[in-house]
Amino acid sequence: MTSSKISLDSMSDAIEGGPVFDRMLIYSEEDWALMRQAAGLFRAIQRLEPRSRARSLATQQAAFKLNLDRSTVYRLLNKFEGEVVHLFPRQPGPSRGIACLSNAREAAIQSVLHRDYLTKQKISLAEMVRRIQKVCDGKGLKPVSRKAVQARIDRLDQHMVAVRRGELLKAEDLTLRPGSYDVRAPMERWQIDHTPVDVLLVSAIDGEVLSRPYLTLIIDVASRMVAGYFISWDRPGARSVAMALLCAVQAKGPLLERLGLTGDWPICGLPVALHSDNAAEFAKSVAYRRACDNSDIERQLRDIGKPRDGAHIERLIGTMMARCHFLPGTTFSNIRQRERYDSAGKATLTIEEFERWLVEQILDYHERRHGGLGCSPRHAWEAMCRDQKIAPRWPANLEQFYLSFLPCRRVTIQRQGIQLFTLEYCGPVLQELRRHMMEKVELRYDPHDLSRVFVQNLEGMWTPVFSRYPDCPRISLWEVEAEQRRRRILELGPARGWMIITEIVRRRAAQADALRLSKGERFGRERASTTTAVEGSAGQRPNNVTSWTRLMEGGQ
């Protein structure tokens, strides 16, 4: 780029759009010297008396030195404010100037812009132009060009636009992130979150493909140690949080022994604070809030629309899901990655096998060097606990700790006991509470086992209260809801608890019979195919034992 080219571009840009600091370019020393020379000439001219002969001669000399017209120099002098940056040329691109429109057309654009475009409906620019055109036609105005609409959108605060349109990732890209989420003490802050696992699992009974399970993970922010986990077929809820916290708080020795694994997983005890997103099981759950208060755990919720605040748990989930993509039956992260991979056809892992694999990955993760720490999470944990003299803080009772996080309901003590989902419960603790004039109680329940619920006795301990129905099996909330839904559809009328339990037991028996029948049919087909293969090979005497083995394997 020549010097004259630089100077002409600078003068032209300054006249049309004024100085632009947000689009500064990096210039060579030669270009900078030219602009500094121009700024020096303009400063000297501005110090002379206006409309004097000396100023007129100085302007003429400046025009000659800068290879500009005198009229251009005069226009620049009117806008020049004494700094070299006022002469910077803008970055190549469309002009910042916006064509003027009539007040009526401008009002039409602004009304549609704020009413329709800046909403989470996220209409396209083409649709917005079409709606503006409709407004203009109704008022007898000239149409507005797409370029004019785009120019007005570009002038807005793009972070505000992204937030109003629900484009949170774009808003994140437009947000500076000075500093960091700095936690230096182990157990000071745990982060918890859920995710569907990127693998299809199969039934341990018949090998049928089931679905993707859900995984709840907890990480210690300071050391990056995985504190606990929980895997379930159910959508995340209060029980998932309770089970994951129970795993995180207790010692991991029995867990590793149950899974047949060896390793060092030292993190245990109660955290100072739990950091989570604004899901209902965290932000709205009364049981979660009271259980945290009871165990002296501070609840911390992310600011809405700021997923970066949970970066540690999000990165951990991303790491674990990336490792899942090497398992048979993986669904990958999206359809584009999966392409033609047959996830259901390749699935072979049961939920027990996946749990063992997951714990193996967690132990491996603890031993690998972490870029943010400069060492492995386990070594960081041990060093922090040793240097800061951190000792685990234990709950008074692990079972009571777990029960306090389960879903809760407030119910009335009636003469027959208490009722939950049309099921009735009664026990000595209710009699004791009733005698102390307590009419309402807060109970905890496990959605997987409604054969009993838990009520606090006078000492504040959660005590089981069993079903009033004799020999009530473990029934789940989903079985009860399915039966209630079936009765509504068939217009069978409301059912009391014993009717629901009887129907659930009958359906379980029918499903077990059907499963045995299907297994028998499958065995019969396999046996028939084996017999056919053997009979078809009659007269073909195998030469050795290996041939017989190969024949039988082929028949099976």
Side-chain angles (χ1 to χ4, degrees):
M1 183 177 291
T2 64
S3 299
S4 61
K5 177 66 174 177
I6 284 285
S7 63
L8 287 173
D9 284 347
S10 303
M11 310 315 166
S12 174
D13 287 331
I15 292 172
E16 292 182 5
V20 184
F21 297 100
D22 57 336
R23 295 188 179 183
M24 289 174 56
L25 299 175
I26 304 301
Y27 296 101
S28 66
E29 288 297 323
E30 182 182 358
D31 295 337
W32 177 265
L34 176 65
M35 290 183 286
R36 186 181 62 182
Q37 178 191 11
L41 293 172
F42 291 161
R43 292 191 191 105
I45 293 172
Q46 288 180 340
R47 285 194 291 267
L48 298 175
E49 184 179 354
R51 299 182 182 179
S52 65
R53 181 172 178 81
R55 182 162 182 160
S56 177
L57 290 174
T59 303
Q60 185 175 358
Q61 290 175 358
F64 177 77
K65 290 179 181 180
L66 298 173
N67 194 22
L68 293 173
D69 295 333
R70 289 182 63 184
S71 58
T72 300
V73 174
Y74 278 116
R75 286 196 294 270
L76 285 171
L77 283 170
N78 291 333
K79 294 179 177 294
F80 182 66
E81 297 179 4
E83 297 182 2
V84 178
V85 293
H86 295 155
L87 302 178
F88 279 1
R90 287 183 311 182
Q91 191 175 13
S95 172
R96 290 170 62 94
I98 295 182
C100 294
L101 300 176
S102 65
N103 292 338
R105 296 167 74 198
E106 189 71 45
I109 294 177
Q110 295 301 324
S111 65
V112 176
L113 177 65
H114 290 86
R115 184 191 66 206
D116 299 341
Y117 186 78
L118 297 178
T119 66
K120 289 182 171 58
Q121 196 66 33
K122 290 192 269 195
I123 67 171
S124 64
L125 178 62
E127 175 62 18
M128 181 180 171
V129 173
R130 189 188 69 80
R131 296 185 183 187
I132 293 173
Q133 182 63 45
K134 185 175 181 181
V135 173
C136 291
D137 290 343
K139 296 181 178 181
L141 303 173
K142 291 175 60 177
V144 177
S145 68
R146 180 190 181 103
K147 183 177 179 181
V149 176
Q150 181 69 67
R152 281 151 179 80
I153 294 175
D154 292 342
R155 293 186 68 183
L156 297 174
D157 179 347
Q158 295 304 306
H159 181 270
M160 179 273 293
V161 173
V163 171
R164 293 277 295 273
R165 286 170 62 84
E167 300 168 341
L168 299 184
L169 293 179
K170 182 178 179 181
E172 280 291 297
D173 291 339
L174 296 171
T175 303
L176 295 179
R177 291 184 285 274
S180 61
Y181 195 70
D182 192 16
V183 179
R184 301 187 179 183
M187 308 299 287
E188 181 180 342
R189 189 166 295 122
W190 285 359
Q191 287 185 344
I192 181 171
D193 205 353
H194 319 282
T195 183
V197 178
D198 292 345
V199 177
L200 289 176
L201 301 184
V202 301
S203 169
I205 298 176
D206 55 9
E208 294 294 327
V209 177
L210 298 177
S211 64
R212 299 165 59 187
Y214 289 91
L215 173 64
T216 302
L217 281 172
I218 303 175
I219 188 174
D220 178 67
V221 175
S223 66
R224 309 300 199 274
M225 285 282 287
V226 181
Y229 72 92
F230 180 62
I231 308 168
S232 174
W233 297 112
D234 308 322
R235 294 188 67 86
R239 183 174 183 266
S240 301
V241 175
M243 292 296 292
L245 284 173
L246 180 63
C247 174
V249 169
Q250 64 186 0
K252 307 301 188 297
L255 170 65
L256 297 179
E257 184 178 353
R258 175 175 66 83
L259 297 175
L261 298 173
T262 57
D264 191 7
W265 193 351
I267 186 171
C268 57
L270 293 172
V272 175
L274 269 174
H275 186 257
S276 66
D277 59 18
N278 288 268
E281 61 269 21
F282 302 117
K284 299 180 181 179
S285 172
V286 176
Y288 178 76
R289 173 170 54 82
R290 294 185 178 180
C292 287
D293 293 342
N294 187 61
S295 298
D296 192 22
I297 300 174
E298 180 186 353
R299 292 185 314 124
Q300 296 180 346
L301 301 177
R302 299 182 202 166
D303 292 337
I304 297 177
K306 293 185 178 180
R308 67 176 180 273
D309 290 346
H312 299 88
I313 187 65
E314 296 292 348
R315 279 197 294 267
L316 174 64
I317 288 175
T319 298
M320 293 301 166
M321 292 304 102
R323 296 189 180 192
C324 285
H325 297 168
F326 299 103
L327 292 175
T330 177
T331 60
F332 295 93
S333 297
N334 51 56
I335 296 176
R336 184 181 296 277
Q337 287 185 359
R338 186 165 68 245
E339 293 185 343
R340 295 187 178 182
Y341 180 81
D342 184 8
S343 301
K346 301 289 186 181
T348 59
L349 294 178
T350 64
I351 194 168
E352 292 82 9
E353 293 169 339
F354 175 77
E355 181 183 11
R356 191 177 192 277
W357 173 87
L358 175 68
V359 174
E360 287 179 339
Q361 301 308 307
I362 291 174
L363 295 176
D364 177 73
Y365 169 80
H366 287 166
E367 301 299 329
R368 290 182 178 271
R369 183 181 183 277
H370 192 285
L373 300 173
C375 62
S376 69
R378 186 174 66 84
H379 282 103
W381 165 268
E382 293 174 347
M384 289 178 180
C385 289
R386 180 179 62 251
D387 296 342
Q388 302 178 34
K389 299 180 180 179
I390 302 295
R393 182 171 63 95
W394 297 97
N397 185 298
L398 270 176
E399 182 182 8
Q400 295 291 311
F401 173 80
Y402 163 72
L403 293 175
S404 64
F405 280 92
L406 288 178
C408 67
R409 283 289 180 92
R410 188 164 179 80
V411 296
T412 302
I413 302 178
Q414 302 171 346
R415 294 189 62 182
Q416 296 82 11
I418 56 177
Q419 189 177 95
L420 179 70
F421 307 119
T422 73
L423 305 178
E424 295 179 349
Y425 304 86
C426 191
V429 64
L430 295 179
Q431 180 68 54
E432 182 183 16
L433 295 174
R434 184 69 172 174
R435 288 177 177 176
H436 284 78
M437 305 302 293
M438 296 185 65
E439 297 183 355
K440 288 184 176 292
V441 294
E442 187 177 282
L443 62 81
R444 297 287 192 271
Y445 65 92
D446 184 347
H448 281 257
D449 183 9
L450 294 182
S451 65
R452 60 178 182 173
V453 295
F454 300 88
V455 175
Q456 281 184 316
N457 59 21
L458 295 177
E459 288 76 31
M461 300 291 290
W462 293 104
T463 306
V465 180
F466 293 91
S467 172
R468 290 184 59 233
Y469 315 108
D471 302 325
C472 178
R474 289 171 60 102
I475 59 175
S476 68
L477 173 60
W478 297 271
E479 289 177 308
V480 173
E481 290 177 340
E483 174 58 21
Q484 291 173 340
R485 191 161 50 248
R486 184 186 73 88
R487 296 185 67 85
R488 284 196 300 269
I489 293 174
L490 298 179
E491 298 182 353
L492 298 178
R496 297 188 65 83
W498 67 269
M499 298 174 63
I500 291 179
I501 294 174
T502 301
E503 182 62 23
I504 289 175
V505 172
R506 187 191 68 79
R507 286 182 173 276
R508 283 182 179 177
Q511 290 174 357
D513 292 341
L515 181 60
R516 284 194 295 270
L517 179 61
S518 63
K519 281 186 175 180
E521 292 176 349
R522 189 161 55 247
F523 177 75
R525 288 195 298 269
E526 292 173 355
R527 185 173 182 180
S529 62
T530 303
T531 304
T532 303
V534 173
E535 291 176 352
S537 61
Q540 301 178 8
R541 181 174 179 174
N543 295 327
N544 49 41
V545 177
T546 305
S547 300
W548 275 113
T549 305
R550 188 181 304 112
L551 177 63
M552 293 304 295
E553 289 177 348
Q556 292 175 356

